[in-house]
């Protein structure tokens, strides 16, 4: 697929990196020569220097024969003008815009009717939702939702309190003994273990599970022998993500404190956030401030500044001073891999939290939604099953008969409004929404072909 990206900032660069790995033909436009040179050196893509809202620059970037435009520049104005030109002058079939303005979120028809935007991405919203899931479930390392939120895929770490400690699993014992869930992968010391062999779960093991979302609360509580939810949260960084997170947590009765080092921004936060959010002027790496605000009583610490090093240092400090669960936003992939599982419990990559929203736009077939897990090593895709037994590789077949790669599993099925945790003899039907987990995301291309119908269908 030929894809034109507008904007080579943090979001645009992350999107470019992920889409290049999908073997797409990528051109990226920006006014920052140094950043363009950096991207061209690292990735197999074409760069164009110039204003992405200029028709001349778009023509130079090959807009005439582009399949998809993703406008993710820093300002809404550039992104919306680029989409308008893409539709009216260059007839680009699909147009996606990064939009920050809250007005547009309340009036999405304006984007479609006046600017030709087919869909939007909001990294701030994606990351905020992602962080909410991690805060709600203290022992969860990742939580992502599918099937309109009815099915969740969760990664939890086995602790000394877990009811699954010493539980024996193999290929025949993947459905959970309590609750509606299924084990999809077992990771021990960073290595994925083959589920066709017999294992006893140990402290520190990471389990990837699919669950009925309505039961996830009870299920996680059973697995950890605890009903207590995290209720006190301290946030470092009062930017867009920090402020949004403070807002939604306060609205669901969390005890929230937010630290911001810019005094003027502190005053702004105090005026827009609910009264039950305590705004603190200071730096998240200030030990005396953290001690005076009782960091040791905090259930969760979240560091959300734009600086990876600050996020890492403040999170390490918060953990040493007694915060129970520590989460840090870390944009650089190498940093994230180094830090997760150390004193930092969860390293969240903003790009990985965002790229899921784009997967169904750039992949072929009946993909509804996708997410990458475990620092991008694995992937979950929701497929809508189309066709019939004559033109489909999956309709009318049992789960056991579908030839999935060995490292992948059918996680769950949504049929009408019923959630099915599959067994080997479950039969796939047309219209099902099937959630598939691939421990090795490189195998997902083969899985996508299984869910495509033959030409007879058309």
């Amino acid at each position: 697929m030929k894809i034109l990206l507008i904007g080579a900032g943090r979001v645009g660069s992350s999107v470019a990196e992920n889409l290049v790995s999908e073997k797409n033909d990528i051109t990226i436009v920006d006014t920052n020569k140094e950043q363009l040179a950096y991207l061209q050196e690292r990735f197999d893509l074409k760069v164009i220097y110039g204003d992405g809202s200029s028709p001349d620059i778009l023509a130079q970037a090959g807009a005439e024969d582009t399949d998809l435009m993703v406008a993710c520049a820093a300002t809404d104005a550039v992104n919306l003008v680029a989409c308008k030109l893409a539709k009216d002058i260059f007839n680009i079939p699909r147009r996606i815009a990064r939009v920050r303005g809250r007005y547009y979120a309340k009036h999405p028809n304006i984007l479609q009717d006046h600017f030709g935007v087919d869909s939007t991405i909001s990294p701030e919203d994606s990351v905020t939702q992602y962080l909410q899931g991690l805060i709600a479930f203290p022992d969860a390392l990742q939580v992502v939702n599918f099937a309109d939120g009815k099915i969740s895929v969760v990664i939890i770490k086995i602790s000394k309190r877990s009811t699954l400690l010493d539980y024996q699993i193999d290929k025949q014992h993947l459905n959970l003994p309590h609750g509606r869930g299924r084990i999809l992968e077992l990771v021990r010391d960073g290595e994925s273990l083959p589920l066709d062999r017999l294992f006893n779960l140990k402290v520190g093991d990471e389990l990837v599970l699919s669950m009925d979302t309505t039961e996830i609360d009870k299920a996680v509580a059973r697995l950890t022998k605890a009903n207590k939810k995290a209720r006190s949260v301290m946030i470092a960084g009062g930017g867009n993500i920090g402020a949004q997170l403070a807002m939604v947590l306060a609205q669901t009765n969390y005890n929230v404190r937010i630290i911001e080092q810019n005094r003027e921004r502190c005053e702004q936060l105090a005026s827009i956030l609910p009264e039950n959010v305590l705004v603190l002027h200071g730096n998240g790496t200030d030990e005396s401030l953290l001690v005076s605000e009782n960091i040791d009583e905090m259930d969760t610490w979240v560091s959300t500044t734009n600086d990876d090093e600050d996020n890492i240092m403040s999170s390490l400090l918060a953990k040493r001073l007694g915060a129970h669960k520590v989460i840090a936003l870390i944009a650089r992939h190498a940093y994230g891999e180094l830090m997760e599982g150390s004193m930092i419990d969860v390293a969240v990559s903003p790009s990985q939290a965002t790229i899921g929203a784009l997967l169904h736009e750039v992949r072929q077939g009946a993909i509804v939604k996708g997410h990458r897990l475990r620092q991008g090593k694995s992937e979950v895709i929701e497929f809508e099953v189309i066709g019939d037994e004559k033109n489909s590789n999956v309709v009318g077949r049992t789960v056991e008969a579908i030839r999935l790669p060995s490292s992948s599993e059918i996680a769950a099925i949504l049929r009408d409004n019923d959630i099915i945790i599959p067994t080997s003899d479950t039969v796939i039907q047309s219209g099902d929404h099937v959630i598939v987990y691939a421990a090795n995301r490189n195998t997902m291309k083969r899985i996508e072909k299984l869910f495509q119908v033959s030409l007879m269908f058309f």
Side-chain angles (χ1 to χ4, degrees):
M1 179 180 287
K2 188 168 183 180
I3 301 174
L4 176 56
L5 298 179
I6 308 298
R10 178 175 287 196
V11 175
S13 297
S14 297
V15 170
E17 180 179 358
N18 280 281
L19 295 184
V20 165
S21 71
E22 299 271 329
K23 302 188 186 306
N24 293 292
D25 181 2
I26 305 294
T27 300
I28 187 164
V29 176
D30 200 276
T31 54
N32 186 328
K33 283 184 178 178
E34 289 183 2
Q35 181 66 7
L36 290 177
Y38 171 76
L39 291 174
Q40 193 165 37
E41 186 179 342
R42 289 190 64 199
F43 306 118
D44 180 18
L45 48 70
K46 180 181 176 183
V47 301
I48 298 292
Y49 171 73
D51 181 355
S53 62
S54 160
D56 292 334
I57 295 298
L58 293 179
Q60 188 182 339
E64 290 89 347
D65 59 349
T66 290
D67 301 303
L68 171 69
M69 171 187 277
V70 182
C72 44
T75 65
D76 289 354
V78 170
N79 295 334
L80 297 182
V81 170
C83 284
K84 178 71 172 170
L85 295 172
K87 180 187 179 190
D88 292 349
I89 297 180
F90 299 104
N91 294 315
I92 296 178
R94 291 283 296 168
R95 302 158 301 273
I96 301 171
R98 176 191 186 184
V99 179
R100 284 176 150 169
R102 308 313 298 175
Y103 179 85
Y104 295 119
K106 296 176 182 174
H107 304 88
N109 58 310
I110 292 177
L111 295 173
Q112 174 69 50
D113 296 343
H114 298 280
F115 297 100
V117 176
D118 294 307
S119 59
T120 60
I121 55 172
S122 171
E124 292 84 0
D125 288 350
S126 298
V127 173
T128 301
Q129 291 169 11
Y130 193 79
L131 291 172
Q132 269 187 277
L134 291 174
I135 292 168
F137 303 106
D139 289 311
L141 301 179
Q142 283 188 276
V143 182
V144 292
N145 295 322
F146 295 89
D148 292 329
K150 296 182 177 69
I151 295 168
S152 297
V153 174
V154 186
I155 302 179
I156 64 167
K157 197 168 212 173
I158 298 295
S159 67
K160 293 178 182 176
R161 300 174 301 155
S162 173
T163 57
L164 285 181
L165 187 60
D166 295 326
Y167 179 67
Q168 212 170 56
I169 64 167
D170 60 20
K171 194 74 176 174
Q172 306 305 317
H173 299 85
L174 297 182
N175 284 7
L176 294 178
H178 308 292
R180 291 166 54 74
R182 182 173 177 82
I183 296 170
L184 305 174
E185 187 181 11
L186 168 61
V187 179
R188 179 172 294 165
D189 299 326
E191 297 292 327
S192 178
L193 302 183
L195 295 178
D196 56 352
R197 289 165 51 190
L198 191 64
F199 292 99
N200 284 6
L201 295 179
K202 297 181 177 179
V203 172
D205 284 351
E206 293 179 15
L207 272 188
V208 185
L209 308 168
S210 59
M211 288 183 172
D212 178 340
T213 301
T214 59
E215 294 198 356
I216 188 170
D217 215 352
K218 293 180 287 184
V220 172
R222 277 196 296 266
L223 293 177
T224 60
K225 289 183 180 176
N227 284 313
K228 179 177 176 290
K229 276 190 172 184
R231 301 313 306 182
S232 58
V233 180
M234 188 176 286
I235 301 169
N240 290 331
I241 291 174
Q244 277 194 46
L245 184 62
M247 179 75 77
V248 295
L249 292 176
Q251 289 170 345
T252 47
N253 297 321
Y254 281 84
N255 174 7
V256 183
R257 303 178 190 192
I258 183 167
I259 301 173
E260 168 58 42
Q261 59 182 347
N262 182 296
R263 184 175 293 279
E264 191 175 333
R265 177 63 175 167
C266 282
E267 292 172 357
Q268 189 181 17
L269 289 171
S271 68
I272 60 176
L273 292 174
E275 290 183 355
N276 57 341
V277 176
L278 180 60
V279 179
L280 302 167
H281 177 235
N283 191 304
T285 58
D286 183 343
E287 182 173 350
S288 60
L289 174 63
L290 269 56
V291 171
S292 67
E293 292 300 326
N294 302 317
I295 183 67
D296 58 329
E297 296 176 3
M298 289 293 128
D299 293 308
T300 308
W301 164 273
V302 191
S303 190
T304 66
T305 75
N306 288 325
D307 188 298
D308 281 356
E309 284 79 7
D310 270 3
N311 290 341
I312 290 170
M313 293 307 295
S314 65
S315 297
L316 291 173
L317 180 62
K319 190 70 174 185
R320 183 171 69 79
L321 294 175
H324 176 67
K325 181 176 184 177
V326 166
I327 303 170
L329 286 191
I330 302 178
R332 292 185 64 173
H333 185 71
Y335 284 7
E337 282 193 329
L338 280 173
M339 300 313 301
E340 183 161 281
S342 59
M343 287 182 71
I344 294 177
D345 298 296
V346 187
V348 174
S349 162
S351 65
Q352 294 297 336
T354 304
I355 196 66
L358 286 174
L359 284 180
H360 76 285
E361 300 282 354
V362 299
R363 299 276 184 84
Q364 302 296 315
I367 294 175
V368 178
K369 190 176 182 182
H371 273 290
R372 290 179 182 167
L373 305 175
R374 302 188 58 241
Q375 298 288 337
K377 297 183 182 73
S378 55
E379 192 169 82
V380 195
I381 296 284
E382 176 184 347
F383 295 94
E384 182 179 7
V385 178
I386 56 176
D388 55 31
E389 294 183 25
K390 294 178 182 176
N391 49 45
S392 167
N393 294 311
V394 296
V395 174
R397 296 186 177 225
T398 62
V399 168
E400 188 174 34
I402 297 173
R403 303 185 66 179
L404 292 169
S406 59
S407 60
S408 61
E409 295 280 344
I410 293 183
I413 300 167
L414 180 68
R415 181 171 298 159
D416 298 324
N417 282 318
D418 296 329
I419 294 165
I420 300 168
I421 303 300
T423 57
S424 58
D425 57 355
T426 301
V427 177
I428 305 297
Q429 297 181 9
S430 184
D432 284 351
H433 280 229
V434 177
I435 291 84
V436 182
Y437 176 78
N440 177 356
R441 80 175 169 92
N442 293 328
T443 64
M444 194 53 91
K445 287 287 183 187
R446 290 169 52 193
I447 299 169
E448 287 174 32
K449 289 180 180 176
L450 284 173
F451 283 85
Q452 293 172 0
V453 292
S454 69
L455 292 176
M456 292 171 58
F457 177 75
F458 303 100

